[in-house]
Amino acid sequence: MEGLLDKPLNPNKLLKEQFVSNLTGSSLLEIAALSTIVPAVVVLRKWSSRDNIRRDSVKKNDDALAGHKDGVYYFSALVIDFLTVVLPILLIFTILAEWTYICAISLVAVISIYILFKRSQSHLKAQQHLPSLRADISSYRVSVVLVTCVSILAVDFKIFPRRYAKAETYGSGIMDLGVGSFVVANALVSRQARNITSMRWKAALKSISPLVFLGFARLISTSGVDYQVHVGEYGVHWNFFFTLAAVSILTSIIRIHPKYCGIVGMLVLAGYQVWLNFGLNEYLTSDERSADIIGQNKEGVYSIFGYWGMYLIGVSLGYFLFHDLSSKGKIRSSQVVKVWVLATSFWILAIILDSYVERVSRRMCNFAYVMLVFGQNFQVISILTLAGSISHDKNLVLEEAFNQNMLGAFLVANILTGLVNLSVDTLSASPLAAFMILVAYTFNLCMLAGLAQFSGVRIKFW
């Protein structure tokens, strides 16, 4: 009995930490290819889906229970979405990782041919009312969550390429873009981007408190079960939720009109980059750690400046592109053009900064990293806008399920990831076993999200 109690919960903790340490990331070209594949798969699924579930059939406050027929129809559509969206993404991130460029080129070719074919048939029906870009933003946010949920468990298996995992100091894997993508996704649809500035201090604290709670919950739970934590990522005690909370706190304290958020954000990033170049970067990439709380969590604390600048720029873009009420008659085509131009511009800036100022670093959240995050995110949005140019279908059932419980799905994914890691030796798993575990994990996650939506359950902390 004593021997059983003395046995560590996570005997391979050190090996797992080493497995995700000292990595250098992928190339910017491969990140662009992966950022093409994910939205392209979603677009093709939307074009092939002719009769999506009516959203009003699964309202939150339905009095009558949905019939058996509706349930079968709903979950059948959800399974098809899983097979045509989630499974291909999982394949690209594992078994087909060496075919990334071929897959990206093939999907671009298929989409281009389809658009040309439809144009010749209908001349794009320019006079029709096209859906708002807000639907594309919703689809984009779900894509961010899906890729994140796939990656957080896949990274613990050898089937997941090491170059996709988070880089140690400089460089960027696709996973490095996760926290930045969450910040941008939140900024684009934030209250500030919608110019809702009437939130009082009590309401602001209420909105921030769940993130602080989740941050401490993660810290306590990982310590309690001796879970592997890569200290170089955020620091000894810091984590993703604390970063989001810190950005929210800064935004609540320093209130800026969305018209000026972009300028302020660029100034914050420029000032922070100068500080980095004058020696802060050497401190943040070194093993030096003082005993105080800031020194113990230097990566998480100092990178807040970069994430805050990123958030402010996102607020400004969200306001001008999607929420500016002064131009009610916005034409979708002009909005789409702006999104494509922004995606290209951010990518060019990222390449220039990475080459001539300082290499991309998620650990410091420097200027090059911020521009890369915006370039990659707006690339995803720009490709997703293609769905609305041909089809007027609503969002996929899978998208609606995750969109209703986005934070809830992410938390469930974290819990399932922890359970798998504590019950399976992920480092010794064969490629087949690893892939089957990932399929089961993603399938269950999708079904749970779908069940919550179909039952009218919404996990909302605010």
Side-chain angles (χ1 to χ4, degrees):
M1 185 67 180
E2 288 182 8
L4 185 62
L5 292 174
D6 291 339
K7 186 179 179 181
L9 290 172
N10 193 7
N12 294 322
K13 176 185 176 182
L14 183 60
L15 288 174
K16 289 181 178 181
E17 288 176 349
Q18 291 173 345
F19 189 56
V20 293
S21 300
N22 302 314
L23 302 176
T24 57
S26 180
S27 66
L28 296 184
L29 183 61
E30 188 168 28
I31 289 174
L34 289 169
S35 303
T36 298
I37 291 171
V38 173
V41 167
V42 175
V43 168
L44 289 175
R45 168 58 184 149
K46 284 189 174 184
W47 285 346
S48 67
S49 176
R50 295 301 177 191
D51 50 358
N52 284 335
I53 283 286
R54 289 176 56 83
R55 278 182 284 186
D56 53 3
S57 69
V58 284
K59 285 181 180 177
K60 175 181 171 182
N61 54 355
D62 274 348
D63 295 326
L65 291 174
H68 175 71
K69 186 176 179 181
D70 289 337
V72 172
Y73 183 45
Y74 176 86
F75 285 101
S76 297
L78 186 60
V79 169
I80 294 172
D81 286 348
F82 172 81
L83 294 174
T84 55
V85 175
V86 182
L87 191 58
I89 292 173
L90 186 56
L91 284 166
I92 288 296
F93 277 65
T94 54
I95 296 172
L96 300 179
E98 302 307 317
W99 296 72
T100 301
Y101 297 114
I102 293 175
C103 290
I105 293 169
S106 300
L107 286 170
V108 169
V110 170
I111 287 176
S112 301
I113 292 169
Y114 190 84
I115 289 176
L116 290 172
F117 176 72
K118 283 294 181 180
R119 274 183 176 174
S120 63
Q121 272 196 335
S122 62
H123 307 290
L124 277 184
K125 298 181 180 180
Q127 306 304 318
Q128 284 188 345
H129 172 71
L130 293 172
S132 166
L133 270 188
R134 294 186 187 185
D136 298 317
I137 293 298
S138 174
S139 185
Y140 143 73
R141 295 177 74 225
V142 173
S143 298
V144 169
V145 173
L146 273 175
V147 171
T148 303
C149 290
V150 168
S151 300
I152 58 175
L153 178 58
V155 71
D156 295 315
F157 292 96
K158 291 181 179 179
I159 196 174
F160 188 82
R162 293 300 88 196
R163 65 183 184 277
Y164 289 176
K166 293 177 181 177
E168 185 74 16
T169 52
Y170 291 104
S172 181
I174 192 69
M175 284 192 71
D176 280 303
L177 303 176
V179 60
S181 297
F182 266 88
V183 171
V184 171
N186 288 337
L188 291 175
V189 298
S190 64
R191 291 173 62 90
Q192 196 172 358
R194 288 174 281 153
N195 200 21
I196 302 174
T197 56
S198 58
M199 184 182 284
R200 296 183 178 180
W201 276 105
K202 187 179 289 186
L205 288 173
K206 185 180 177 182
S207 70
I208 295 165
S209 58
L211 294 172
V212 177
F213 171 78
L214 291 170
F216 279 107
R218 177 175 172 80
L219 174 61
I220 294 168
S221 60
T222 52
S223 301
V225 299
D226 201 28
Y227 197 75
Q228 66 267 16
V229 176
H230 186 203
V231 175
E233 188 175 346
Y234 291 107
V236 178
H237 314 102
W238 203 267
N239 59 54
F240 165 79
F241 295 110
F242 287 143
T243 293
L244 294 185
V247 170
S248 297
I249 290 169
L250 278 173
T251 304
S252 300
I253 294 173
I254 307 172
R255 300 189 178 185
I256 306 165
H257 192 282
K259 284 184 179 180
Y260 311 110
C261 279
I263 297 172
V264 175
M266 292 296 282
L267 290 174
V268 169
L269 287 171
Y272 178 54
Q273 185 61 58
V274 170
W275 191 10
L276 286 169
N277 287 355
F278 273 88
L280 181 62
N281 53 8
E282 293 180 7
Y283 168 64
L284 294 180
T285 55
S286 70
D287 294 330
E288 177 188 346
R289 240 176 247 284
S290 55
D292 59 276
I293 192 70
I294 294 178
Q296 290 286 294
N297 302 282
K298 57 181 182 177
E299 298 90 349
V301 172
Y302 286 100
S303 65
I304 291 171
F305 294 104
Y307 287 114
W308 184 43
M310 178 191 294
Y311 184 86
L312 291 175
I313 294 172
V315 166
S316 182
L317 292 172
Y319 174 73
F320 285 111
L321 283 173
F322 315 117
H323 305 296
D324 185 3
L325 299 178
S326 64
S327 52
K328 293 181 181 178
K330 282 183 179 178
I331 302 172
R332 177 187 164 90
S333 58
S334 66
Q335 285 181 295
V336 170
V337 169
K338 288 177 183 177
V339 170
W340 281 87
V341 170
L342 283 168
T344 305
S345 302
F346 283 129
W347 265 109
I348 292 171
L349 283 171
I351 293 169
I352 292 172
L353 290 167
D354 180 67
S355 301
Y356 300 105
V357 178
E358 185 180 38
R359 287 200 63 203
V360 170
S361 175
R362 184 259 326 144
R363 185 168 175 171
M364 294 179 279
C365 193
N366 60 2
F367 215 145
Y369 172 76
V370 173
M371 292 300 102
L372 175 60
V373 169
F374 275 112
Q376 184 262 347
N377 278 261
F378 271 80
Q379 178 188 345
V380 171
I381 298 171
S382 62
I383 295 172
L384 288 171
T385 61
L386 296 175
S389 66
I390 299 294
S391 169
H392 302 287
D393 289 336
K394 297 175 182 178
N395 282 344
L396 302 175
V397 171
L398 179 71
E399 290 179 320
E400 290 294 341
F402 274 87
N403 195 44
Q404 181 163 308
N405 286 293
M406 202 166 291
L407 182 56
F410 180 66
L411 292 177
V412 171
N414 275 270
I415 293 170
L416 291 176
T417 297
L419 291 174
V420 171
N421 267 279
L422 293 175
S423 57
V424 176
D425 183 2
T426 56
L427 298 180
S428 300
S430 67
L432 178 60
F435 186 73
M436 295 310 296
I437 290 171
L438 289 169
V439 170
Y441 156 75
T442 50
F443 181 78
N444 279 289
L445 181 63
C446 293
M447 291 303 110
L448 287 170
L451 182 63
Q453 195 223 4
F454 188 76
S455 304
V457 176
R458 185 173 185 181
I459 302 173
K460 188 175 176 66
F461 296 94
W462 285 264

